[in-house]
């Protein structure tokens, strides 16, 4: 009887131990899920900003096309009698040809805004960038359509690996995929650049930017811990050039224990998961930096 009772107690203790382990595992699972959701939110925000920029570009191109159509109509009206049946037929034929060419090119590149080049042998594709609802730079590619797709001119920054992206995405068979990848690189670069600009504007008295490169993929900051009166060197590395959040954050300080403290580990996570200017605002409010 006593042996059965002992087994019952041990069984109950084992059950309690399993439940305790399960509870310990839940926070880790929740943290992992939260991290996944934050990455998803970041991607959705970038897509939203990109769509806003594309809409703005589309509106600008529509205005340009309307202006060109009015100019062409005015020139034709000067040459021909407006009531002439031949003039109306010629205008309709010219307009039909223009719309057919634009529709073909628009379908070919998957919906990006385009303008037919003056030579008529290719198209000019506009790639707009934006960050947090702010319309930023627009980049353009002139692409020859025949005999094969070829980028003839562009104003893409030299540090964006345009040719490599064209090869990796197989531009000849999947130009939409190529443009999507290129747009990701350009929007991520524009977002990192805008974050750096905001850091300089918002924290010019308290945070010193010691180093940054043209791609804005490396950022070194120095700030002071008020209570400790200690300078902290912070390095942010963005090895994924299609994202605007760092892939690695590290701290250096004379007090070697400081970066390993719970508070500064939390600061590290904050900088990994939040745009740098927003993370610094939160750190300043919490009194972690001057």
């Amino acid at each position: 009887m006593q042996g059965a009772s002992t087994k019952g107690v041990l069984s109950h203790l084992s059950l309690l131990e399993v439940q305790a382990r399960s509870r310990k595992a839940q926070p880790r699972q929740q943290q992992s899920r939260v991290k996944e959701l934050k990455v998803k939110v970041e991607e959705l925000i970038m897509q939203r900003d990109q769509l806003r920029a594309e809409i703005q570009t589309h509106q600008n191109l529509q205005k340009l096309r309307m202006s060109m159509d009015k100019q062409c109509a005015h020139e034709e009206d000067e040459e021909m009698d407006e009531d002439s049946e031949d003039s109306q037929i010629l205008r309709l034929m010219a307009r039909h040809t223009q719309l057919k060419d634009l529709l073909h090119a628009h379908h070919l590149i998957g919906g990006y805004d385009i303008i037919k080049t003056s030579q008529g042998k290719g198209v000019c594709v506009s790639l707009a960038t934006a960050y947090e609802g702010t319309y930023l730079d627009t980049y353009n590619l002139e692409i020859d359509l025949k005999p094969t797709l070829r980028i003839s001119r562009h104003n893409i920054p030299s540090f964006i690996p345009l040719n490599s992206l064209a090869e990796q995405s197989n531009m000849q068979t999947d130009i939409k995929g190529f443009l999507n990848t290129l747009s990701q690189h350009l929007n991520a670069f524009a977002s990192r650049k805008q974050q750096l600009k905001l850091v300089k504007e918002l924290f010019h008295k308290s945070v010193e930017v010691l180093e940054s490169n043209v791609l804005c993929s490396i950022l070194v900051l120095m700030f002071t811990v008020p209570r400790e009166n200690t300078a902290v060197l912070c390095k942010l590395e963005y090895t994924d050039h299609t994202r605007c959040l760092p892939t690695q954050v590290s701290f250096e300080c004379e007090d070697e224990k400081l970066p390993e403290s719970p508070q500064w580990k939390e600061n590290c996570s904050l900088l990994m998961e939040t745009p740098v200017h927003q993370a610094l605002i939160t750190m300043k409010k919490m009194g972690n930096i001057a």
Side-chain angles (χ1 to χ4, degrees):
M1 190 73 177
Q2 186 176 357
S5 176
T6 301
K7 288 182 180 178
V9 171
L10 292 174
S11 177
H12 184 64
L13 287 173
S14 296
L15 178 61
L16 290 175
E17 186 179 356
V18 170
Q19 290 176 347
R21 288 176 181 172
S22 177
R23 290 192 189 98
K24 286 181 180 178
Q26 284 178 0
R28 287 195 295 270
Q29 294 172 354
Q30 290 173 353
Q31 288 175 1
S32 176
R33 180 60 178 160
V34 167
K35 194 169 183 179
E36 289 176 5
L37 290 173
K38 285 182 177 179
V39 171
K40 185 64 177 177
V41 167
E42 178 203 344
E43 291 175 353
L44 291 173
I45 289 173
M46 286 188 66
Q47 289 177 12
R48 180 204 65 187
D49 291 340
Q50 183 178 343
L51 287 172
R52 285 178 176 174
E54 288 174 359
I55 289 170
Q56 181 65 43
T57 303
H58 181 68
Q59 291 172 346
N60 293 339
L61 289 171
Q62 278 186 322
K63 291 178 182 177
L64 179 60
R65 288 170 188 153
M66 289 174 64
S67 175
M68 291 173 64
D69 289 343
K70 287 180 181 178
Q71 184 179 355
C72 291
H74 178 68
E75 291 173 356
E76 290 172 356
D77 287 344
E78 288 181 348
E79 295 175 0
M80 294 187 178
D81 182 1
E82 190 172 318
D83 295 330
S84 168
E85 184 177 348
D86 290 340
S87 68
Q88 292 178 9
I89 292 173
L90 287 173
R91 281 199 297 270
L92 285 172
M93 288 175 64
R95 183 60 178 157
H96 176 264
T97 302
Q98 182 187 27
L99 289 174
K100 188 177 178 181
D101 289 344
L102 288 173
L103 183 62
H104 170 68
H106 199 258
H107 172 72
L108 181 67
I109 62 173
Y112 282 89
D113 286 305
I114 57 109
I115 297 178
K116 190 174 181 180
T117 57
S118 57
Q119 294 83 3
K121 297 180 180 179
V123 293
C124 178
V125 186
S126 293
L127 299 169
T129 61
Y131 180 68
E132 291 186 341
T134 301
Y135 184 66
L136 300 172
D137 299 319
T138 298
Y139 300 95
N140 301 294
L141 293 168
E142 280 193 15
I143 302 176
D144 293 337
L145 300 179
K146 295 178 181 180
T148 59
L149 297 180
R150 184 180 70 87
I151 299 170
S152 56
R153 292 196 303 174
H154 65 86
N155 66 341
I156 307 296
S158 59
F159 46 81
I160 300 292
L162 184 61
N163 292 331
S164 296
L165 294 178
E167 290 178 7
Q168 292 170 9
S169 304
N170 199 355
M171 185 180 76
Q172 297 297 325
T173 58
D174 185 14
I175 191 170
K176 183 180 178 181
F178 160 65
L179 292 174
N180 285 341
T181 302
L182 178 58
S183 183
Q184 282 184 331
H185 277 260
L186 291 172
N187 270 282
F189 161 65
S191 299
R192 296 192 300 269
K193 183 179 176 182
Q194 186 70 1
Q195 288 180 41
L196 176 58
K197 179 184 176 184
L198 291 169
V199 168
K200 291 179 178 178
E201 289 176 356
L202 297 173
F203 300 95
H204 64 280
K205 293 183 179 179
S206 56
V207 175
E208 185 178 354
V209 179
L210 298 181
E211 183 185 345
S212 63
N213 59 358
V214 290
L215 189 55
C216 297
S217 60
I218 294 177
L219 182 59
V220 179
L221 307 174
M222 185 171 71
F223 32 74
T224 304
V225 182
R227 291 184 295 271
E228 307 289 337
N229 195 26
T230 303
V232 176
L233 205 65
C234 174
K235 184 177 182 180
L236 299 95
E237 298 178 68
Y238 302 78
T239 55
D240 184 349
H241 296 164
T242 63
R243 296 185 58 203
C244 63
L245 293 180
T247 50
Q248 185 172 346
V249 175
S250 58
F251 300 115
E252 289 184 21
C253 178
E254 288 185 0
D255 183 359
E256 296 180 358
K257 294 181 180 179
L258 185 68
E260 298 300 321
S261 66
Q263 183 61 65
W264 280 87
K265 284 186 177 181
E266 185 178 335
N267 289 337
C268 182
S269 298
L270 186 64
L271 287 162
M272 289 278 290
E273 300 168 2
T274 315
V276 60
H277 64 288
Q278 294 180 9
L280 292 177
I281 290 172
T282 301
M283 291 167 65
K284 191 175 181 68
K285 286 180 179 178
M286 295 172 65
N288 295 332
I289 61 175

